[in-house]
Amino acid sequence: MKHLILIALLFMGNCTIAQVKEADKITGTYMTEKNKGKVVISKKDNKYFGTLIWTHIPGAVDLYNPDKTKRNNKVAGSVILKDFEYTGEGVWEEGTVYDPESGKTYSGKITIDKEGNLHLRGYVGFSAFGRTTMWTRVK
């Protein structure tokens, strides 16, 4: 009986490690659609965040931010993906996406294709009412 319990615990530990490894596949650097920006995705407290580290317009500021006090802040350096959680089967959800070109924040869903490119769907309310963009992984 002790052997069965030990085997079960080892199996569950390996599943948890595999799940974490799968979840962390999202971390890295991506070039956004139309090469407008570069985003680094990192993990903090089992959630994933994306920081815009470069934009195609040097010194671009956050003109459309709904918080008027932030409209003079540079866009590069801002966190545009927040609180994404790995929900299994290659999907990250429960987070938000900030679009500095419109100043709007959307709910988001992320998947990664076989080439390692990120597919980000931003939506309001239901995922069916949104738009998907592809970001290319920078190697």
Side-chain angles (χ1 to χ4, degrees), residues 17-111:
I17 291 168
Q19 178 106 357
V20 168
K21 189 174 181 179
E22 179 72 20
D24 287 348
K25 281 185 179 181
I26 196 172
T27 60
T29 304
Y30 297 87
M31 183 64 73
T32 65
E33 189 174 70
K34 299 179 185 175
N35 297 327
K36 290 185 174 186
K38 195 180 284 185
V39 177
V40 172
I41 298 179
S42 57
K43 180 179 180 180
K44 182 180 177 187
D45 299 328
N46 289 321
K47 293 187 179 188
Y48 298 87
F49 297 81
T51 303
L52 187 63
I53 61 167
W54 173 88
T55 65
H56 71 292
I57 302 172
V61 294
D62 201 358
L63 286 177
Y64 304 105
N65 195 307
D67 181 345
K68 292 179 183 179
T69 65
K70 295 182 179 180
R71 290 187 179 169
N72 289 322
N73 293 351
K74 290 187 179 179
V75 176
S78 61
V79 178
I80 62 169
L81 301 179
K82 292 183 181 177
D83 297 322
F84 278 87
E85 298 177 19
Y86 185 68
T87 56
E89 298 183 27
V91 177
W92 292 259
E93 297 178 288
E94 309 301 329
T96 59
V97 182
Y98 175 69
D99 177 8
E101 290 185 339
S102 68
K104 295 184 180 178
T105 300
Y106 302 94
S107 297
K109 178 179 179 179
I110 299 172
T111 58

Side-chain angles (χ1 to χ4, degrees), residues 124-137:
V124 176
F126 299 99
S127 180
F129 304 112
R131 184 175 85 81
T132 300
T133 182
M134 185 182 87
W135 296 358
T136 306
R137 185 180 287 273

